[in-house]
Amino acid sequence: MFASFSRPVLVLVCSCAVFASAALLAIAPPGQIAERIGRRLASPAPEAGAGEMRPPALTNAAVPAPIPAPGQVAVCNEAGRDEVVTAPAPAAPGGEREVWIRRPPGPDSADLPVLYLLHGSASTHETLMEEGVGALLDEQMCRTGVEFVIAAPDVRVVPGAAPGRDDADDGSFAVESFVTGAAVRAVEGEHVRPRKLRALGGFATGGDSAAAVALRNPGLYTQVASWSGRYRGDGPQGFGDRAPDRLLDSRSAGDLRFVLVEGARERTPSREEGSGGEAARFADLLDGRGMTVATLRPRGEPGFPAWKRAFPGAAKFLVSGWTLPS
C-alpha cells in the first residue's frame, strides 16, 4: 500500500501526531491526563437513542481534543462492544431503520469521536459487522491511541434493494435525513458531539454517498473517508447535480478533510481515460480548492480485502484531524 498526500496533508499528517500530542500533554494537568486515559474502564449498559426525524442539535461548545495514548487505551485490552439499535425513519418500511454501533470500553462522552459508515449496494450494515470492521478498527484505536465510536446505519431504500443516496423528491424514502438526523441521535444520545469529532465514511456507493452527504451537511462533519467512491456528475456513472464534484463550491464546505481510498488495480472511468483513477481526479479538484485530501492506494481490486489494507492509513488521517487544536 502507498499513500499520496496533498500539500496541506503533508504538514498535518506528518507533524500532527507528534506536535499535537506533545502540546496537549504539556498543558494538561496530570490529573486530567490520567482521567482522560483511564476513565473508560467501566462498562455501563449501552443505551439506544431515538427521536423525531430532524437533524440533531448542533453544538459549538468547547470539547477537548482526544489525547493520543498509543497502546494505553482501554480497547487495547478489551474489545469494543456491539449493539444494533432501531431508530425512527417514517419513510422506511415499518417506520424505522437499524443502526450497528460499536463502542470502545467504558462510558460514552461528548469528547469521544464518531466514525459513521455507509455500506455499499452489495452489502448492508450487517456485512460490515461480518467482515470484522469493528475488530480491525479496534486495532487502529490501540495503535493510534485514540478511541472512537463506529456507527453504520442501514441505508437500503427497502430490504434487498440498493442503498439510497439522499432523499427522494416524492418522499418515498429519506435516507439522507435518517443518516444526518435519527441515526446521529441514536448513536450520540445526550452526548452530542461537536462537528469536529464526527467523520462520515463509506464503501463503494456508500463512499460517494458519504462525500455527497458531508458536502451537503458541512455543519455536521469535518472529515470524510471514502473507499472506492465515484464522485462524477457526468458520464455513464455520473450522478448529475447530486454528485460530489458538483457540490464543491459551497463556501461552508471548505474545511472538510477527505481521505480517498482506491485499489491499485481498480478500474474507474477516470483511470480508463488515462488520468490515474477517480480518486486522483477528485483529489485534484479538492486540492485545487485548498482543501485537505489524502489518497490511499492499497493493492488489489475493489472489495473488503483491499479496503481493509487501507484501514491503518485512513485511521491515521482521521485521528490527525480529531486531535488538531481548535
Side-chain angles (χ1 to χ4, degrees):
M1 180 199 311
F2 64 96
S4 65
F5 297 85
S6 70
R7 287 184 297 278
V9 175
L10 280 172
V11 177
L12 295 175
V13 172
C14 294
S15 63
C16 177
V18 175
F19 291 105
S21 177
L24 288 168
L25 289 172
I27 65 175
Q32 179 183 354
I33 296 174
E35 178 185 1
R36 288 289 300 282
I37 293 176
R39 63 186 168 80
R40 298 195 180 98
L41 297 180
S43 298
E47 57 180 284
E52 299 176 1
M53 183 64 70
R54 64 176 185 274
L58 300 180
T59 175
N60 293 317
V63 174
I67 299 174
Q72 301 179 45
V73 290
V75 77
C76 295
N77 300 310
E78 180 182 348
R81 62 188 188 275
D82 294 315
E83 55 180 327
V84 177
V85 304
T86 57
E96 59 186 18
R97 291 182 179 276
E98 290 187 341
V99 184
W100 165 50
I101 306 171
R102 186 178 179 93
R103 302 184 189 276
D108 193 29
S109 66
D111 63 352
L112 188 63
V114 181
L115 171 59
Y116 293 91
L117 291 173
L118 305 180
H119 62 80
S121 59
S123 60
T124 72
H125 60 303
E126 294 176 337
T127 306
L128 304 188
M129 298 175 63
E130 295 164 358
E131 287 288 342
V133 169
L136 290 171
L137 290 178
D138 280 356
E139 294 176 7
Q140 301 311 315
M141 295 180 210
C142 180
R143 183 180 64 84
T144 63
V146 172
E147 296 176 311
F148 52 91
V149 176
I150 305 161
D154 180 358
V155 293
R156 293 171 294 174
V157 174
V158 295
R165 294 180 56 82
D166 41 41
D167 294 352
D169 293 334
D170 63 3
S172 58
F173 61 87
V175 172
E176 182 172 337
S177 292
F178 179 77
V179 169
T180 59
V184 174
R185 288 190 301 279
V187 174
E188 300 181 13
E190 296 179 354
H191 306 288
V192 179
R193 272 62 167 180
R195 64 183 291 266
K196 175 185 176 180
L197 297 185
R198 290 194 192 109
L200 183 61
F203 303 91
T205 53
D208 45 71
S209 294
V213 169
L215 286 164
R216 284 194 293 263
N217 299 273
L220 290 180
Y221 317 96
T222 52
Q223 302 194 91
V224 178
S226 175
W227 284 261
S228 297
R230 302 290 184 268
Y231 316 102
R232 304 178 70 90
D234 59 357
Q237 297 187 26
F239 301 106
D241 291 339
R242 296 180 177 182
D245 64 3
R246 300 286 182 88
L247 301 170
L248 289 177
D249 293 326
S250 170
R251 293 181 180 179
S252 58
D255 67 342
L256 281 173
R257 307 171 80 251
F258 286 79
V259 55
L260 310 176
V261 179
E262 185 175 283
R265 296 201 303 272
E266 186 171 341
R267 303 302 299 174
T268 70
S270 295
R271 180 164 289 148
E272 291 165 2
E273 295 164 6
S275 63
E278 181 67 359
R281 183 190 72 86
F282 192 55
D284 285 344
L285 294 176
L286 295 168
D287 191 42
R289 288 164 172 78
M291 301 173 75
T292 299
V293 57
T295 56
L296 305 176
R297 298 184 179 88
R299 67 182 185 276
E301 304 290 342
F304 281 103
W307 294 337
K308 291 174 184 178
R309 295 187 187 106
F311 280 8
K316 179 180 179 181
F317 179 88
L318 295 174
V319 166
S320 73
W322 286 327
T323 55
L324 281 172
S326 299

